[in-house]
Amino acid sequence: MTKILLTIHIIAVIVAIGPVAVAASMFPPAARKALTSGDDADMATLRLLNRICKVYALVAIAVPFFGFATAGIMGVTGNLWIIISIVLTGVAALVLGLLVLPYQQRVLEGKPAPSTQLAMYTGLFNLLWVAVTVVMIFRPGSSLNS
């Protein structure tokens, strides 16, 4: 059962986090282009990228769900590497929900939103997921290290 849950957890990470990371990263340069060109096709691209971010952010709820289930079965929920991963995942979710998506929405509504700040928040979101990946691979403080 552990291998099945771990497999589902990893697939959920790839399928859910990957599209958000890519679409969110594409949004700031696409926003700069759309805001200077005023082209309807460019705005449609922004709406699509925003929709991808929102939908896959909801799908990404499966990541911690299956992660907790896997950690519970493995009996490692109190390990430092799991705690660090949970905290980093929570911070990434907050950055996405409180900074990236609202800034994207402001751009879509035509309100001023500096694309450099949006790019910074998006980069922070992606960096947090890189950190989670590193922690999950190297498992600091784990007795599973070899």
Side-chain angles (χ1 to χ4, degrees):
M1 184 58 129
T2 303
K3 289 182 181 184
I4 291 170
L5 285 173
L6 183 58
T7 301
I8 294 170
H9 173 63
I10 292 170
I11 289 170
V13 170
I14 294 166
V15 170
I17 305 302
V20 175
V22 172
S25 295
M26 292 173 67
F27 194 96
R32 283 190 289 276
K33 182 181 177 202
L35 294 175
T36 55
S37 75
D39 186 21
D40 287 340
D42 291 337
M43 287 306 292
T45 299
L46 287 182
R47 286 189 295 277
L48 174 63
L49 292 172
N50 177 256
R51 190 174 323 122
I52 290 168
C53 289
K54 287 178 180 176
V55 168
Y56 282 93
L58 291 175
V59 173
I61 293 169
V63 173
F65 176 81
F66 285 105
F68 277 121
T70 304
I73 286 179
M74 292 173 64
V76 295
T77 52
N79 286 15
L80 179 62
W81 60 281
I82 293 291
I83 294 167
I84 292 170
S85 296
I86 291 167
V87 169
L88 292 173
T89 298
V91 173
L94 289 172
V95 168
L96 181 65
L98 298 177
L99 298 171
V100 175
L101 293 176
Y103 263 73
Q104 287 182 356
Q105 193 61 44
R106 285 176 60 187
V107 170
L108 292 173
E109 293 169 357
K111 297 176 184 170
S115 63
T116 53
Q117 216 167 8
L118 177 56
M120 180 185 70
Y121 295 144
T122 301
L124 177 61
F125 171 77
N126 289 333
L127 186 61
L128 286 163
W129 278 109
V130 168
V132 170
T133 303
V134 169
V135 168
M136 295 300 281
I137 292 170
F138 289 100
R139 300 178 308 229
S142 170
S143 61
L144 302 174
N145 285 329
S146 2

